[in-house]
Amino acid sequence: MPPDFLNSREDAILLWTIVILGFVFYKDFRGIGGSFLAVFRSLMSPKLLLLFGSALLYSAVVVYGASELGLWHTSALTATIYWFLGTGVVLAGEAVTDGARDGRVFLRRVLRRVVAVTIVVEFVVNVYALPFAFEVVGVFLLLSFVGVRVVAQRDSSTPAPVLRFIDVVLATIGVVYLGYFVIRVFGDVPGFLTRENAEDFLVGPALTLALIPFLFAAAWWSRREDERLHKRLRARFDSPG
């Protein structure tokens, strides 16, 4: 039985994730296992642990403060976890790369993510899920065509009509999900306009905005680390002998 706190779409994603991982491990256990081990070792590096651990602690403090003020409730826990894993971790990583190079450009990307990801993807796509049987098919088609699209983009010999067909299929899937969301909303407006839905809607954008000071601090720290490294390298090359 799937976990009770997951909706049918999340159950379908979990199912296909297990199936795909099981297949790739069956086909090449040593190769895939070695790749996972290498990624795990990279994530266990002290600097990454400090970065993501600090982001987690900062986010937890923000959530605790919001809870004390009555602005966050445990009903939003799932949305909060999704936000941290899908947005918070990504932004923290980008802060020490893109943010360290150009703070203004990075800030614009963060604000775009507030609209494009935390509002549209994390709320609209997930607030109403189709029955499990439909989600299993829909998620399979979505994962399959996204994967094919990535491979086709990297293959210069792929005909343009094939790419257009893939885009049409993906757009159609998106329209189906969005259309179902609109139908459910207008079919039960009072049921949609609840505190739980409002909190799920706002938790992503609010936490993303609250994370901005941490992101700029991480970007500053990354710049300082780069400057120290460059100074050490210049000192080593400039030293006689």
Side-chain angles (χ1 to χ4, degrees):
M1 292 293 291
D4 293 336
F5 58 85
L6 300 180
N7 62 31
S8 58
R9 184 168 303 147
E10 293 160 341
D11 289 339
I13 293 173
L14 178 62
L15 171 64
W16 286 117
T17 300
I18 293 174
V19 170
I20 292 171
L21 288 177
F23 176 76
V24 296
F25 271 105
Y26 172 76
K27 295 295 291 184
D28 186 10
F29 178 79
R30 289 187 177 180
I32 299 299
S35 299
F36 273 97
L37 183 60
V39 171
F40 179 77
R41 286 174 177 171
S42 299
L43 290 175
M44 290 298 104
S45 67
K47 289 186 177 180
L48 286 182
L49 284 177
L50 176 62
L51 172 65
F52 296 130
S54 299
L56 177 60
L57 179 61
Y58 180 93
S59 302
V61 171
V62 170
V63 169
Y64 177 78
S67 176
E68 289 296 300
L69 294 173
L71 301 175
W72 185 93
H73 302 83
T74 53
S75 59
L77 178 60
T78 300
T80 303
I81 294 173
Y82 284 162
W83 168 83
F84 181 76
L85 296 177
T87 298
V89 169
V90 174
L91 289 177
E94 291 179 351
V96 299
T97 54
D98 301 340
R101 289 195 294 268
D102 193 329
R104 292 183 179 180
V105 173
F106 177 66
L107 179 60
R108 287 197 293 270
R109 291 179 61 184
V110 172
L111 295 178
R112 283 199 301 268
R113 185 179 288 270
V114 169
V115 177
V117 177
T118 61
I119 292 179
V120 177
V121 175
E122 293 182 6
F123 178 77
V124 173
V125 174
N126 289 316
V127 67
Y128 289 124
L130 290 161
F132 180 70
F134 290 94
E135 290 292 350
V136 168
V137 177
V139 169
F140 173 76
L141 291 175
L142 187 61
L143 292 176
S144 299
F145 278 92
V146 167
V148 171
R149 185 73 170 82
V150 171
V151 174
Q153 275 185 313
R154 296 183 178 182
D155 187 356
S156 58
S157 64
T158 303
V162 173
L163 293 176
R164 286 197 295 269
F165 172 75
I166 296 173
D167 290 339
V168 168
V169 173
L170 292 175
T172 302
I173 296 173
V175 168
V176 169
Y177 280 127
L178 183 59
Y180 181 71
F181 168 80
V182 172
I183 291 172
R184 287 290 303 271
V185 169
F186 284 98
D188 184 18
V189 174
F192 174 72
L193 299 177
T194 61
R195 179 191 61 79
E196 289 80 6
N197 280 342
E199 196 167 342
D200 283 348
F201 179 75
L202 293 173
V203 67
L207 288 174
T208 301
L209 294 175
L211 191 66
I212 289 177
F214 172 84
L215 298 176
F216 275 94
W220 174 84
W221 171 71
S222 179
R223 285 194 298 270
R224 291 293 301 272
E225 287 291 306
D226 288 342
E227 291 170 0
R228 292 193 188 98
L229 177 60
H230 291 157
K231 287 181 180 179
R232 287 198 296 267
L233 291 176
R234 283 197 298 268
R236 179 176 300 178
F237 284 111
D238 292 342
S239 61

